[in-house]
Amino acid sequence: MKKRLLIIALAPLLLYSQKWSDRAYTGDGLVGISLGFLFEGQTQYPDPYYGPEVTGLYNDGAYHFILDIYFNRFIIGLQVSDEFLYLEKFDGDMVWKPRGFNQSFASLTRTYWISLGYNILNNFNLKFGIGLRRGPESPFTSKGFTASEVAQGFNYENLEVLYNTVPSLENFSEIDYSLSITYPIKVYGKLGVVPELGYTLKHGGLLTGISLIY
């Protein structure tokens, strides 16, 4: 009985997924356009680690705003991320660190991404992205927070901490890469949702989020 109910519940989703996949395979042109939002939680830190205490996956992270165009079996995407990652770079007496610097957001970075995807199996799509991370940047989000709030636990008041004694920072830039899987699901009419799960390679960012597709 339980198996029958499960099959009945999943049937519309499976039929729609097959229809979406068939359309991609037959080369019917534009399949859909999606807009979405991803959360990124940092999983890789320097060793040794001198930063604020990490109390959870999203203690350091980023917010990603994404636009994807589904065309035939391909995905072409643009993405921008507003980042509060932990980054560390020593260059002479210059140092980069995360989540605010000297009572400002001087160490906030932003990455601009271009991604390409492909329909690999049924309704599953694999996306590969390349991004240019730069800073310092003023934030899109969290503008109301002070640096000490963003870098909670970093001990800004201690003048013996190296980071607190560096008066300025040079511009920062690096290349990062991402890999993710998307799965469009029909909701109503031509409107659907696209769950996404992925990973950014440079600092170990776990990506989770959802888009609306039409």
Side-chain angles (χ1 to χ4, degrees), residues 62-111:
Y63 306 107
H64 293 249
F65 305 91
I66 58 177
L67 167 66
D68 285 336
I69 299 173
Y70 288 72
F71 189 84
N72 293 343
R73 297 184 65 177
F74 296 93
I75 303 173
I76 302 172
L78 298 175
Q79 191 166 315
V80 59
S81 55
D82 201 17
E83 302 174 336
F84 299 90
L85 301 169
Y86 188 95
L87 310 174
E88 192 175 66
K89 176 188 177 185
F90 289 90
D91 185 10
D93 61 347
M94 297 296 180
V95 61
W96 259 90
K97 69 174 190 60
R99 302 188 295 177
F101 187 82
N102 290 347
Q103 308 305 313
S104 72
F105 282 103
S107 69
L108 173 68
T109 56
R110 181 172 300 137
T111 304

Side-chain angles (χ1 to χ4, degrees), residues 58-169:
Y58 294 99
N59 208 109
D60 303 287
Y63 306 107
H64 293 249
F65 305 91
I66 58 177
L67 167 66
D68 285 336
I69 299 173
Y70 288 72
F71 189 84
N72 293 343
R73 297 184 65 177
F74 296 93
I75 303 173
I76 302 172
L78 298 175
Q79 191 166 315
V80 59
S81 55
D82 201 17
E83 302 174 336
F84 299 90
L85 301 169
Y86 188 95
L87 310 174
E88 192 175 66
K89 176 188 177 185
F90 289 90
D91 185 10
D93 61 347
M94 297 296 180
V95 61
W96 259 90
K97 69 174 190 60
R99 302 188 295 177
F101 187 82
N102 290 347
Q103 308 305 313
S104 72
F105 282 103
S107 69
L108 173 68
T109 56
R110 181 172 300 137
T111 304
Y112 296 92
W113 303 84
I114 296 176
S115 59
L116 294 175
Y118 190 72
N119 179 248
I120 55 173
L121 177 67
N122 293 330
N123 210 33
F124 286 97
N125 302 278
L126 186 65
K127 284 173 54 179
F128 174 78
I130 181 170
L132 174 63
R133 177 172 293 111
R134 303 179 63 183
E137 298 281 358
S138 60
F140 294 137
T141 60
S142 305
K143 289 187 176 182
F145 289 91
T146 65
S148 57
E149 288 174 319
V150 174
Q152 186 175 4
F154 199 84
N155 194 5
Y156 268 103
E157 306 303 322
N158 186 355
L159 296 180
E160 295 182 358
V161 176
L162 171 65
Y163 294 119
N164 294 344
T165 62
V166 178
S168 62
L169 296 172

Side-chain angles (χ1 to χ4, degrees), residues 198-209:
Y199 196 73
T200 62
L201 303 183
K202 191 75 175 183
H203 302 285
L206 179 64
L207 296 172
T208 55

